[in-house]
Amino acid sequence: MLWIKRLFRRRHNYNGIILCALVFFAIGATAFCMVVNSKESARERARAEQLAKGGQKELSGAAAAVKNAVEEKRAETSSVHPGVPIGTTEPADDQKVVYLTFDDGPSENTKKILDILAEYNAKATFFITGANKECRHYIKEAYEAGHTIGLHTYTHDYDKVYASDKAYFDDLAEVGEVAKEQIGFVPCFVRFPGGASNMISAKYNKGIMSRLVESVQDKGYQYYDWNVDSGDAAGCNKKEIEENATTDKINHIMILFHDAQTKDATVEALPAILKYYSEKGYEFRAIDRSSYVCHHGVQN
């Protein structure tokens, strides 16, 4: 009987050992599966991340392509194309539009004006000169912010600009190169020094404006005057500029401002002017190839 009891105990120990072995095996197998699954999950995540990155690259590539196409189209339509009409003198009457235009820049005031325009999500047009080389980067900044760049004059010296037809176009070509350096092309939008109706040109060349208004358009440009004068060129103060530049009597308003270094009053008056037109339901637009064209009567 003793040997039977010993055998029973021995078998009982074997069962315990076997049971322990099974438990350890199960734990090891589970751990192994967890490691395998973890590695597979990591691989899946890596594949997913790679696909996501690839998708993001494709999306960013597509977005960049669209952006480039838009910019190319914008440059194309704003460039000089002889024989292609620009703008209309008979815009839709039911639209209420303000064209903010700034002459004589760039300057440090150009930067201040750009910041104010951004606050109101307003677009404008800058008719540039060759002045202030250190500020020319604002031309590019304005263009990249969605504003239009036009050509005013390189020297703004009336005796040089209006000495002859050739002198005018030489000056225009020079300021055109300034624009090209900053935005990559020569714009077709032009504002004459003093406007098309200026009389000072007669002092230097009789009848030159009558010829230039025709020849600039023949060469693929369009010139723009204004129907509202802020008075800042005459040295008006902030309050006077606000009063001069605001009206609700017409739907298509083209305002003459200046962003030269001395025009601090223009910068100070601009927020109130933007607020006024915003509350009156006007839209602020930059000049483009389809915009309203404001022409003065030529007096020389």
Side-chain angles (χ1 to χ4, degrees):
M1 294 295 292
L2 184 59
W3 66 272
I4 293 175
K5 290 181 180 180
R6 289 177 178 173
L7 180 61
F8 179 78
R9 286 196 207 98
R10 197 174 296 156
R11 286 179 179 175
H12 183 73
N13 291 338
Y14 288 156
N15 289 338
I17 292 170
I18 293 170
L19 180 60
C20 289
L22 289 172
V23 169
F24 284 120
F25 176 78
I27 293 172
T30 300
F32 176 77
C33 290
M34 289 175 65
V35 171
V36 171
N37 289 338
S38 177
K39 289 182 178 179
E40 185 61 31
S41 296
R43 282 194 291 269
E44 288 296 328
R45 284 197 300 271
R47 281 194 290 268
E49 289 172 1
Q50 191 172 9
L51 287 171
K53 288 179 180 178
Q56 288 172 356
K57 286 181 180 179
E58 289 180 6
L59 287 173
S60 61
V66 170
K67 182 180 179 181
N68 289 338
V70 169
E71 287 302 317
E72 287 175 7
K73 182 67 175 177
R74 182 184 176 200
E76 174 67 16
T77 57
S78 299
S79 298
V80 178
H81 298 290
V84 181
I86 303 173
T88 177
T89 56
E90 298 180 358
D93 286 335
D94 58 340
Q95 298 176 332
K96 297 175 69 173
V97 183
V98 176
Y99 297 94
L100 306 165
T101 68
F102 297 87
D103 292 5
D104 293 358
S107 73
E108 289 299 332
N109 277 332
T110 305
K111 173 59 177 173
K112 297 173 185 177
I113 288 169
L114 288 175
D115 291 342
I116 295 169
L117 293 173
E119 289 179 21
Y120 286 83
N121 194 29
K123 301 306 177 188
T125 301
F126 293 85
F127 290 100
I128 64 169
T129 69
N132 298 324
K133 291 183 180 181
E134 69 279 5
C135 292
R136 286 181 181 175
H137 60 95
Y138 293 133
I139 298 171
K140 183 177 181 180
E141 184 175 327
Y143 181 76
E144 291 180 345
H147 305 290
T148 291
I149 303 303
L151 308 178
H152 190 35
T153 170
Y154 189 85
T155 64
H156 216 306
D157 292 337
Y158 287 96
D159 58 338
K160 294 179 180 179
V161 174
Y162 292 130
S164 67
D165 295 37
K166 181 180 182 302
Y168 172 79
F169 282 107
D170 286 348
D171 181 89
L172 187 65
E174 201 167 2
V175 73
E177 284 302 307
V178 173
K180 189 175 182 179
E181 288 171 4
Q182 297 299 320
I183 64 176
F185 65 92
V186 177
C188 63
F189 314 110
V190 168
R191 175 165 284 159
F192 292 116
S197 61
N198 83 83
M199 287 294 293
I200 194 171
S201 57
K203 180 180 178 181
Y204 308 107
N205 194 309
K206 201 72 174 174
I208 190 172
M209 296 313 303
S210 296
R211 298 191 300 273
L212 289 180
V213 296
E214 298 294 333
S215 54
V216 292
Q217 294 179 85
D218 291 342
K219 291 178 181 292
Y221 299 94
Q222 179 60 275
Y223 70 96
Y224 296 81
D225 292 311
W226 55 91
N227 54 18
V228 173
D229 186 350
S230 70
D232 62 352
C236 289
N237 61 33
K238 173 182 178 291
K239 184 177 180 180
E240 291 169 333
I241 292 170
E242 290 174 3
E243 292 174 351
N244 292 336
T246 51
T247 180
D248 59 359
K249 304 303 182 185
I250 50 179
N251 282 355
H252 300 273
I253 300 171
M254 190 164 288
I255 309 176
L256 174 65
F257 294 106
H258 296 79
D259 60 324
Q261 193 64 51
T262 57
K263 302 305 176 184
D264 294 336
T266 303
V267 177
E268 295 167 2
L270 190 57
I273 295 167
L274 291 168
K275 185 174 184 291
Y276 173 88
Y277 284 113
S278 295
E279 291 175 349
K280 293 288 184 179
Y282 283 83
E283 178 184 354
F284 300 103
R285 294 184 190 172
I287 291 172
D288 61 27
R289 207 174 187 90
S290 63
S291 297
Y292 165 57
V293 177
C294 183
H295 282 173
H296 289 168
V298 177
Q299 301 184 66
N300 176 32

